[in-house]
Amino acid sequence: MQGSLGKRINELLVLAVLDRGPAHGYQIALSVEESTDGAFSFQHGTLYPILHRLESTGHVKGEWDEETGRGRRKKTYSITSAGQAFLKADSDQLESELRALFGLLRSDAGAA
Amino acid sequence: MPPEHPLSRVERDLRVTPRRRLELLEEVRADAEALEAELVRRGRGRGPARDAAIRQVVPEGEALASLEAQHAPVLRRWAEASGWGDRLERVAISAVAVTVGAFAIWAFHWPAELETRALLAWSQALVVALLAANWTQCAVRLWVMGDLREAERRALWRRQIGLVVAGVALGALGAAWEVHAALGDAWSRAVAGDPTAAPLVWGYVKRATASGMLGLVAATFGLFGWLALTPRLITDEVIERRIARLFTRAPTLSVVPDTTTKEE
């Protein structure tokens, strides 16, 4: 299995949300929590290391937009084509790995 | 005492370049404010909405460490990965100070016997070595560690200026000593009717000029060395001012003035 499971799931969650369209960091966090009925949530800023890592690997693109009049900036993230390809490949891979895992867990439970 | 701004800890603990720090603070602040507004729009009270927004988006603990690891300068990441993270600064300072000090001792060409002239040259070499050490500490903090805060920056600058003044003072002292020695020697030779007095005085003048020049060399080395750091120091200071403004403009990290907290 490549990378830690938690890290991979977090990256896939973020990419899946961004695959629906560009979003700000807080929108990604809200969307993940709502889409998974609270099973997954990002607390204490854990979203940012994931976003910045995905940005450095070229899977997402972050762009600053000025908020007119207030001199403030917001960062919007969008998925890149490399990110879309990664999302597809890694979610397929994770699915087959989890299938294998649960196959083993359920067969053990059935045998017991 | 006013409560601490929720982003103060991020600003204080995140040891990355001011530019990276500012970007992250701006991003987190914008997200926290927008999330709070969104939660208020969905019917939550302002106080609970703000607490929830801060809890969700303000990085702490592992998130902060992870961000620092991601955004640290390449050299620091390399140093930390190779186990040199804590020692790198001390090793660099010692190596530069010893090398520059040894070069200064060789270049200043002091007399072999232990006398006032030799002591002044030794002191001048020490000042130059300390100037190089101070410069190295500043450069390592800026380019390797990426984080040189205002208080440290000022302390390093004060030390640099102190050493430059010490270099000039030692040069002047050396020149004064040569004049004093020349006058004493010339006077005793003149009294004795020695015709070689004038050429000997010329020798003293040369040595006095050389001593004064050593002071100027030390000062030039100290000031021009610092000048090389100045563009980066100014950039960092400008960004730090923007960070400070970010805190003064939004002292509570909230888009909505907190007027209803007591009712909630």
Side-chain angles (χ1 to χ4, degrees), chain B residues 59-103:
Chain B
E60 54 182 66
E62 264 184 53
L64 214 51
S66 181
L67 284 165
E68 189 172 306
Q70 279 178 32
H71 295 296
V74 180
L75 275 172
R76 180 169 139 206
R77 272 185 273 164
W78 171 82
E80 279 169 2
S82 59
W84 278 78
D86 298 332
R87 283 170 291 164
L88 186 77
E89 191 176 327
R90 272 171 285 160
V91 170
I93 291 168
S94 310
V96 171
V98 167
T99 310
V100 173
F103 179 76

Side-chain angles (χ1 to χ4, degrees), chain A residues 34 44 48 72-73 77, chain B residues 26-27 31 33 42 55:
Chain A
E34 286 167 359
H44 308 299
Y48 297 107
R72 293 183 172 199
R73 303 193 298 166
Y77 291 93
Chain B
E26 282 185 312
E27 183 177 5
D31 278 341
E33 289 177 351
R42 292 179 182 193
R55 197 169 49 248

Side-chain angles (χ1 to χ4, degrees), chain A residues 24-27 29-30 33-34 41-46 48-53 64 70-75 77, chain B residues 23-24 26-31 33-35 38-39 42 55-60 63 66-67 70-71 249-250 255:
Chain A
H24 298 299
Y26 83 95
Q27 290 171 324
L30 269 184
E33 198 167 346
E34 286 167 359
S41 72
F42 296 108
Q43 296 294 325
H44 308 299
T46 46
Y48 297 107
I50 299 162
L51 275 171
H52 292 189
R53 190 167 52 240
W64 289 98
R70 298 182 68 195
R72 293 183 172 199
R73 303 193 298 166
K74 273 186 173 179
K75 199 170 182 184
Y77 291 93
Chain B
E23 280 180 358
L24 185 80
E26 282 185 312
E27 183 177 5
V28 172
R29 183 191 63 179
D31 278 341
E33 289 177 351
L35 181 57
E38 177 64 24
L39 294 175
R42 292 179 182 193
R55 197 169 49 248
Q56 188 140 28
V57 302
V58 176
E60 54 182 66
S66 181
L67 284 165
Q70 279 178 32
H71 295 296
R249 276 187 189 168
V255 268

Side-chain angles (χ1 to χ4, degrees), chain B residues 73-248:
Chain B
V74 180
L75 275 172
R76 180 169 139 206
R77 272 185 273 164
W78 171 82
E80 279 169 2
S82 59
W84 278 78
D86 298 332
R87 283 170 291 164
L88 186 77
E89 191 176 327
R90 272 171 285 160
V91 170
I93 291 168
S94 310
V96 171
V98 167
T99 310
V100 173
F103 179 76
I105 286 168
W106 172 77
F108 291 172
H109 193 65
W110 72 92
E113 67 273 23
L114 190 65
E115 48 162 13
T116 310
R117 214 173 275 145
L119 284 175
L120 287 170
W122 267 102
S123 310
Q124 198 67 279
L126 182 71
V127 166
V128 171
L130 289 174
L131 277 168
N134 198 50
W135 184 92
T136 307
Q137 186 174 9
C138 192
V140 168
R141 286 288 180 85
L142 284 174
W143 281 288
V144 180
M145 300 301 165
D147 185 32
L148 180 64
R149 302 295 170 112
E150 195 187 355
E152 289 172 303
R153 218 163 40 223
R154 285 192 178 169
L156 287 168
W157 168 241
R158 276 197 296 268
R159 204 183 301 162
Q160 190 82 354
I161 282 296
L163 288 166
V164 165
V165 170
V168 172
L170 280 171
L173 198 64
W177 172 257
E178 295 295 349
V179 170
H180 165 77
L183 287 176
D185 198 21
W187 177 254
S188 58
R189 281 170 190 272
V191 167
D194 186 349
T196 60
L200 276 174
V201 168
W202 175 239
Y204 280 113
V205 168
K206 278 201 290 188
R207 280 203 294 273
T209 311
S211 282
M213 287 304 289
L214 280 188
L216 288 178
V217 165
T220 309
F221 174 72
L223 290 175
F224 274 83
W226 200 265
L227 203 62
L229 305 172
T230 307
R232 171 65 192 269
L233 289 170
I234 290 173
T235 308
D236 280 9
E237 201 160 322
V238 168
I239 296 171
E240 278 177 2
R241 269 190 220 138
R242 282 176 64 188
I243 292 174
R245 271 207 300 277
L246 188 140
F247 284 101
T248 50

